[in-house]
């Protein structure tokens, strides 16, 4: 620990702490504009300069490491004058006429800094250039006229999403933020993660969806969890008048504020038609009815068909709802098939392996942050689970090497150090080839003497070149912290032998030991792992079913699901939005959406998280869980409520954090 004095106050901080963070930790305010707690210190704006006893000139606190015995002053007359001059220069350099800016009035850090210094005008005549405003992007706008060149957006693009789209062009007063080689943002390599917008301290980058819908101080903020995929990123939902204004990344969550477009923008763009009253089919058409009538009608139709009933639930539903669904249809009604909309495709293979072997074989997402070699197979981290891809991309400039194995075109191909294009359906042969190459080259970290098959035979089966496989073997085996990431392309299109081969390779390269598990499956929806733990992984076979019940929630009805249920005589759906499935249904029960219901999610690394409700559902709409409870009551079924215990009854593929 380090002891220092700031403004006469003795404080103690950990070694390596900057003076700025030491002050923050002790509620001592030092003004700054270019610094952000989740970005590497930059030292550009010079607003945070402090006087250090023994040093000749003021020093930027954001880049100055705290040292034992330091005596620091932050509020001397000279420092206040310096800040006033810096702010005056910033205001005069660009168009910062606050009444015309949408972030004016409490959301602009430049304006707030000026008020903190008791400025009500700037003494210098503005001398700005009229820069064009880039409105080409569908989600946000870039206005260099509001920019203070703090480079927060550039650093966020690099350090949070690893995309490196933004940079600066020109020099001096003509310097501007540009995308790629100064192309319009909407035509650039931008992946719409929105990190740049969230960190911008002025109105240079503004969100199209939330602009002019209210200042932050007028919004209600609810901490929640993204339901876009199984990663479970922490989010903050900003609401006003029972509407979502914007979604931002939660800097205190494990994802440290990093989000993809699926978590930040897509939930606010919903244009589907909401269902707000129960509907029943009369003479071929759906007509409104009451909840009492709908529940009685459902009970009348399901009671005689208990053993001929198919039940399907979306993995977007909270754990509580998924367990009530299973308790009702599997335990209470003894339905013919009870499963999830994923039918176990992203989870069943590894779930069965964990149960068979009685141990967790997968690790945590944190391993991606520190890995120096990543192999991705059966997944495209540019189209799904994109935040996991960000963890890989942002480490590549630090030396992390990337191997992509995919018979098809993959969004990560251009970033890969090595691309392997095997024959489709040859995943087991690929891992057999890697195993044989590692052993043949003497790279194994275990005492393995022989592989399951020869390198030549494995290469013939997968269609890869020996040179490429040997290169991949060296990359993986020579890495200090290798990680293998696999997705639905493996778990949904392979058998147990493939997973056995993958685990053998992981052990050979040191990615599957007790201290550090470098094997990660991406799984599917928000509660994909929970569905697997509850046994909701069977294929949806409805040949002998006379009725089907679908707990869809706010999920999309896939073409596969609609076609599978097309010939079932009776169909009941609990859903938030109209879809091809509700059009086909005999009974529709309206339920709340993800932001209207509180509940738990179990993410891909086994971390149980609670999501708060941020909105109130429309009148006539009920919670997913309460609908299942009401149905159970109508059918005389007693539901088991001990969902926590149920999650741990099976061995999980990853250690659970309950």
């Amino acid at each position: 620990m380090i002891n220092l004095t700031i403004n006469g106050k003795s404080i103690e901080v950990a070694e390596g702490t900057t003076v700025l963070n030491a002050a923050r930790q002790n509620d001592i305010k030092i003004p700054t504009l270019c610094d952000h707690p989740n970005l590497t210190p930059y030292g550009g704006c010079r607003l945070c300069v402090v006087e250090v006893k023994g040093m000749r000139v003021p020093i930027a606190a954001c880049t100055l490491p705290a040292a034992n015995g330091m005596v620091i002053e932050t509020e001397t007359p000279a420092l206040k004058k310096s800040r006033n001059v810096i702010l005056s220069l910033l205001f005069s350099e660009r168009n910062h006429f606050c009444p015309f800016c949408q972030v004016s009035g409490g959301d602009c850090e430049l304006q707030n800094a000026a008020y903190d210094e008791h400025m009500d005008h700037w003494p210098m005549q503005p001398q700005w250039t009229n820069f064009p405003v880039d409105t080409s992007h569908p989600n946000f706008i870039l206005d260099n006229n509001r920019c203070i060149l703090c480079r927060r957006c550039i650093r966020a693009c690099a350090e949070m999403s690893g995309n490196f789209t933004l940079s600066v062009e020109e020099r001096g007063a003509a310097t501007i933020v540009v995308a790629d080689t100064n192309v319009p943002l909407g035509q650039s390599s931008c992946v719409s993660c929105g990190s740049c917008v969230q960190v911008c301290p002025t109105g240079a980058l503004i969100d199209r969806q939330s602009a002019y819908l209210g200042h932050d101080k007028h919004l209600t903020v609810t901490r929640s969890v993204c339901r876009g995929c199984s990663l479970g990123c922490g989010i903050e939902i900003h609401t006003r008048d029972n509407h979502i204004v914007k979604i931002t990344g939660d800097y205190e969550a494990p994802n440290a504020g990093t989000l993809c477009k699926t978590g930040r923008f897509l939930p606010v763009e919903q244009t589907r038609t909401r269902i707000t009253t129960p509907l029943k089919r009369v003479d071929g058409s759906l007509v409104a009815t009451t909840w009492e009538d709908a529940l009685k009608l459902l009970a009348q139709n399901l009671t005689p068909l208990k053993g001929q009933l198919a039940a399907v639930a979306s993995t977007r539903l909270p754990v509580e709802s998924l367990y009530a669904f299973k308790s009702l249809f599997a335990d209470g009604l003894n339905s013919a098939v009870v499963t999830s909309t994923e039918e176990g495709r992203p989870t069943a293979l590894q779930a069965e392996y964990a149960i068979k072997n009685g141990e967790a074989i997968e690790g945590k997402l944190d391993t991606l942050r520190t890995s120096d070699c990543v192999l991705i197979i059966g997944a495209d981290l540019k189209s799904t689970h994109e935040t996991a891809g960000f963890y890989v991309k942002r480490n590549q400039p630090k030396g992390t090497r990337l191997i992509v194995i995919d018979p098809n075109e993959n969004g990560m191909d251009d970033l890969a150090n090595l691309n392997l294009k095997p024959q489709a359906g040859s995943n087991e042969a690929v891992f057999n080839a890697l195993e044989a190459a590692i052993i043949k080259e003497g790279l194994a970290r275990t005492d393995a003497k022989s592989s399951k098959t020869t390198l030549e035979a494995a290469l013939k089966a997968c269609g890869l070149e020996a040179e490429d496989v040997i290169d991949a073997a060296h990359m993986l085996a020579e890495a200090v912290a290798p990680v293998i990431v696999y997705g639905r392309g493996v778990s949904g299109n392979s058998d147990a032998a493939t997973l056995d081969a993958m685990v053998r390779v992981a052990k050979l390269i040191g990615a599957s030991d007790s201290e550090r598990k470098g094997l990660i499956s991406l799984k599917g929806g928000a509660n994909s792992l929970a569905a697997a733990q509850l046994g909701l992984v069977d294929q949806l076979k409805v040949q002998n079913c006379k009725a089907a019940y679908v707990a869809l929630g706010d999920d999309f009805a896939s073409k596969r699901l609609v076609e599978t249920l097309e010939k079932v005589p009776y169909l009941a759906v609990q859903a938030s939005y109209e879809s091809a499935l509700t059009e086909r249904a005999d009974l529709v029960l309206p339920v709340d959406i993800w932001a209207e219901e509180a509940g738990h999610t179990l993410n891909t690394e086994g971390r149980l998280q609670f999501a708060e409700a941020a909105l109130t559902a429309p009148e006539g709409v009920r919670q997913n869980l309460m609908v299942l409870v009401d149905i159970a009551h109508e059918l005389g079924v007693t539901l088991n409520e001990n969902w926590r215990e149920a999650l741990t009854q099976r061995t999980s593929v990853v250690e659970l954090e309950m």
Side-chain angles (χ1 to χ4, degrees), residues 1 58 112 165 190 232 234-235 292 310 320 322 329 339 426 441 450 487 573 581 599 610 614 622 633 657-658:
M1 299 298 286
N112 293 341
T165 297
C190 173
I235 60 174
E292 291 73 16
E320 294 90 334
L322 285 176
F329 290 102
T339 187
S426 63
E441 295 289 307
S450 62
V573 182
L581 199 64
F610 182 71
R622 296 188 180 181
H633 178 74
E657 300 177 22
M658 303 290 287

Side-chain angles (χ1 to χ4, degrees), residues 5 137 159 175 189 260 361 389 432 484 502 533 539 576 602 656:
T5 302
H137 199 283
E159 296 177 22
T175 304
S189 62
C260 68
I361 60 170
N432 285 338
I484 298 175
M502 185 192 302
Q533 289 302 106
Q539 287 188 341
S576 308
L602 188 69
L656 302 182

